[in-house]
Amino acid sequence: MSYQSQVQAAAAAVNGKPGWESISAESVARMRLQNRFQSGLDIARYTAAIMRHDMEAYDADPASYTQSLGCWHGFIGQQKLISIKKHFGTTDKRYLYLSGWMIAALRSEFGPLPDQSMHEKTSVPALIEELYTFLRQADARELGGLFRDLDAARDAGDAVKAKAIEHQIDNFQTHVVPIIADIDAGFGNAEATYLLAKKMIEAGACALQIENQVSDEKQCGHQDGKVTVPHEDFVAKIRAIRYAFLELGVEDGIIVARTDSLGAGLTKQIAFSREPGDIGDQYNSFLDCEEIDVGQVGNGDVVISRNGKLLRPKRLASNLFQFRAGSGEDRCVLDCINSLQNGADLLWIETEKPHIGQIAGMVNRIREVIPNAKLVYNNSPSFNWTLNFRQQVYDAMVAAGKDVSTYDRARLMSVDYDATELAQEADERIRTFQRDAAAQAGIFHHLITLPTYHTAALSTDNLAKEYFGDAGMLGYVKNVQRAEIRQGIACVKHQNMSGSDIGDDHKEYFAGEAALKAGGAHNTMNQFAA
């Protein structure tokens, strides 16, 4: 609906109502445009359609992959989208990621916690709601600026400029984009997963990522001690999430099924098997077992019968069962196929390093069964990207018979190698990693889980070093404010960013000429007008 159509619709609602003579239909239309999404479910339905469209585009052309950055606060997410619109003119194929790790580390009332699902489950939907509150405010702020420009053009009698601004309003692109939200291992049983999924969807999430770890023993994907669950347990949670989406009318909601089997060597239970070769039997086939006879069964032993043999799975003092060493990739492939066959839409394979060949090897096996299988992949800060890629280039040089005598493979992170041909090749591989992995390894969505955690720490360290040192106030002015002004960072006008101008507009709507505005001639924010 065009701007003028919105004004006409508001006029139809306002005109002729006794006592409403002072209500401006155009002001109503503007407020409606600034508040396009009335609920989180509106957002979830809108963004689910975007993701589905992007998934189809990727299937047609792997160059059409998508990206996101993890954000731990609504302001961080807002600034990311404002920057994307400023630099690229569109938010197409750019999402937000909500990391359970960052919620645990930064948003729990207990204080910083490890990534073990110990934080309050309500903090997850709360952050989704917060992110969308800030993105909607970014819409209101940008549109408010356009409305002011429109009024100024009209006051100046410039009809051509006014028409051009109306065109901008009609073609305004919202800052609201899909959020892929981490539900960890579901925070309990399938019913708990369903209840939390509903809260996350109601807050606006169109895509939920769930992992196949035991919920009460959940570990960060890049730490040791991970314990997986049998496939039937995981499928029950996938099904619970689908029911939550359907109940709330988000019929094309996206489920991302994550497997941690590559790094998980343990299981808490032996899967139930009805017949040889079923999914439970396949899960149990990876257990580290020894063949025994009946006379060797000891007190409290757990034994299973398989292929006519009596097997004793290796059980640890923790009462966990151990998988065979080297079975991780096979288990990952089985996990992924089973998840897609039972309602998941996208896959997540948590790897121990960013290696396209390793990822592609698993995806190709999955695609033998599910041809359009595609991944969400964590470009994790837990990887030492510099060292990993320099070692990959080193290994490629060795395989090609090149002289590597000037390099020490264990020391390749050293600054001493920064100017070398090896380091430059490694950096080029890092630069093209997302493009190459999308084309070769089925990665539809690339994300960095924890980038703004690290950028906040790095920028704060740099400011503290300068401000509390000899530079003093120049440490802030030169490296923060002056850079903000020259790079056109929107929040240099922090009063405007926090909603002061929107509030002034509303004061005028509500009180007319009697409005007490904050944005007058003496507002110091005017110093940044140039």
Side-chain angles (χ1 to χ4, degrees):
M1 186 182 292
S2 70
Y3 179 69
Q4 289 301 327
S5 297
Q6 289 277 7
V7 174
Q8 291 167 13
V14 169
N15 294 344
K17 300 291 194 306
W20 288 22
E21 292 81 8
S22 62
I23 300 294
S24 163
E26 186 160 25
S27 296
V28 172
R30 291 179 176 187
M31 295 175 79
R32 286 177 173 178
L33 286 168
Q34 287 174 300
N35 188 26
R36 171 180 173 180
F37 300 98
Q38 301 297 307
S39 72
L41 286 176
D42 289 340
I43 292 172
R45 295 184 187 107
Y46 169 77
T47 54
I50 291 174
M51 276 197 74
R52 291 289 178 181
H53 175 270
D54 289 347
M55 289 161 67
E56 290 178 6
Y58 174 81
D59 287 340
D61 179 7
S64 296
Y65 61 90
T66 57
Q67 300 168 290
S68 66
L69 294 174
C71 299
W72 54 271
H73 191 279
F75 176 74
I76 301 296
Q78 177 198 65
Q79 293 305 300
K80 191 193 90 166
L81 267 298
I82 288 174
S83 294
I84 287 170
K85 287 191 73 174
K86 179 182 75 173
H87 291 297
F88 305 104
T90 179
T91 62
D92 289 352
K93 297 181 175 59
R94 279 93 175 191
Y95 306 164
L96 289 179
Y97 179 67
L98 185 151
S99 162
W101 192 102
M102 283 212 283
I103 289 180
L106 298 173
R107 301 301 300 260
S108 172
E109 292 183 12
F110 293 103
L113 293 172
D115 184 21
Q116 297 173 354
S117 290
M118 295 190 292
H119 54 280
E120 308 86 348
K121 64 175 69 176
T122 53
S123 60
V124 186
L127 180 53
I128 297 169
E129 183 177 6
E130 177 182 293
L131 285 162
Y132 280 128
T133 296
F134 274 80
L135 295 184
R136 290 164 67 199
Q137 194 261 9
D139 281 0
R141 172 188 165 275
E142 187 175 334
L143 282 166
L146 289 171
F147 298 150
R148 288 183 171 211
D149 291 344
L150 178 60
D151 290 341
R154 288 172 174 173
D155 291 343
D158 192 338
V160 174
K161 186 174 183 180
K163 193 66 178 177
I165 295 169
E166 282 195 30
H167 180 75
Q168 287 181 266
I169 295 169
D170 290 344
N171 292 279
F172 176 80
Q173 185 181 38
T174 177
H175 295 81
V176 170
V177 297
I179 288 178
I180 298 176
D182 186 358
I183 198 171
D184 280 16
F187 286 85
N189 61 16
E191 175 69 7
T193 301
Y194 154 77
L195 293 171
L196 179 55
K198 281 182 62 176
K199 289 293 185 185
M200 294 169 73
I201 298 162
E202 287 169 344
C206 71
L208 302 184
Q209 165 220 327
I210 186 165
E211 61 203 60
N212 68 336
Q213 290 192 50
V214 176
S215 59
D216 60 344
E217 297 282 356
K218 182 257 189 301
Q219 291 278 16
C220 172
H222 293 282
Q223 292 186 308
D224 208 351
K226 293 181 288 296
V227 183
T228 63
V229 298
H231 296 92
E232 293 289 356
D233 293 32
F234 189 53
V235 165
K237 293 185 177 182
I238 290 175
R239 198 176 294 126
I241 293 172
R242 182 61 67 202
Y243 271 110
F245 273 125
L246 293 171
E247 177 184 340
L248 295 172
V250 185
E251 297 183 1
D252 51 357
I254 291 96
I255 299 174
V256 182
R258 167 175 154 176
T259 173
D260 280 285
S261 289
L262 195 62
L266 303 169
T267 182
K268 199 166 189 177
Q269 62 196 98
I270 296 172
F272 175 74
S273 174
R274 295 175 178 82
E275 58 186 36
D278 65 14
I279 194 64
D281 189 44
Q282 292 180 65
Y283 186 80
N284 294 339
S285 71
F286 295 112
L287 293 169
D288 189 358
C289 300
E290 59 177 332
E291 185 178 350
I292 60 173
D293 58 40
V294 174
Q296 293 175 293
V297 177
N299 183 55
D301 274 354
V302 173
V303 297
I304 60 175
S305 173
R306 195 165 192 275
N307 296 329
K309 298 176 181 178
L310 197 61
L311 305 174
R312 179 165 54 200
K314 187 169 291 184
R315 186 165 59 166
L316 308 181
S318 60
N319 205 32
L320 299 171
F321 296 95
Q322 185 171 298
F323 289 114
R324 291 195 316 277
S327 64
E329 287 203 9
D330 290 338
R331 286 184 282 124
C332 274
V333 171
L334 179 61
D335 294 344
C336 292
I337 292 171
N338 189 67
S339 293
L340 292 175
Q341 289 176 333
N342 285 278
D345 302 290
L346 296 168
L347 302 172
W348 175 314
I349 299 176
E350 195 71 18
T351 65
E352 81 287 358
K353 59 183 180 291
H355 192 288
I356 293 176
Q358 178 196 34
I359 303 163
M362 290 184 280
V363 171
N364 289 337
R365 292 174 61 189
I366 297 163
R367 285 182 163 179
E368 291 175 4
V369 181
I370 313 287
N372 69 339
K374 44 193 167 288
L375 297 185
V376 171
Y377 187 72
N378 178 9
N379 293 219
S380 176
S382 294
F383 304 142
N384 185 330
W385 285 77
T386 302
L387 181 61
N388 267 291
F389 276 83
R390 288 183 181 183
Q391 288 180 340
Q392 288 179 37
V393 173
Y394 177 95
D395 294 342
M397 291 172 68
V398 171
K402 294 185 178 181
D403 180 13
V404 293
S405 60
T406 58
Y407 301 108
D408 179 350
R409 190 179 188 279
R411 292 186 58 254
L412 290 176
M413 179 68 191
S414 172
V415 68
D416 298 340
Y417 296 119
D418 282 2
T420 64
E421 179 184 355
L422 181 148
Q424 292 168 6
E425 171 63 20
D427 280 355
E428 179 62 12
R429 291 192 184 195
I430 294 170
R431 187 185 72 82
T432 64
F433 174 79
Q434 294 188 342
R435 182 193 69 194
D436 296 341
Q440 301 170 33
I443 297 178
F444 156 73
H445 185 75
H446 283 278
L447 61 90
I448 307 177
T449 44
L450 318 176
T452 52
Y453 178 90
H454 292 280
T455 54
L458 179 62
S459 61
T460 302
D461 179 81
N462 290 333
L463 175 60
K465 177 180 66 176
E466 295 285 322
Y467 177 75
F468 293 104
D470 291 340
M473 191 58 194
L474 183 61
Y476 173 78
V477 172
K478 181 179 180 181
N479 298 319
V480 180
Q481 189 181 79
R482 192 178 298 167
E484 284 182 304
I485 294 170
R486 291 177 175 174
Q487 293 179 40
I489 305 300
C491 73
V492 70
K493 297 182 180 180
H494 47 259
Q495 307 286 12
N496 167 271
M497 185 58 64
S498 70
S500 179
D501 288 348
I502 297 172
D504 274 2
D505 290 340
H506 289 172
K507 288 176 184 177
E508 187 172 2
Y509 299 165
F510 305 154
E513 293 181 358
L516 183 63
K517 297 183 180 181
H522 298 293
N523 189 321
T524 58
M525 193 169 68
N526 295 331
Q527 296 172 23
F528 300 100

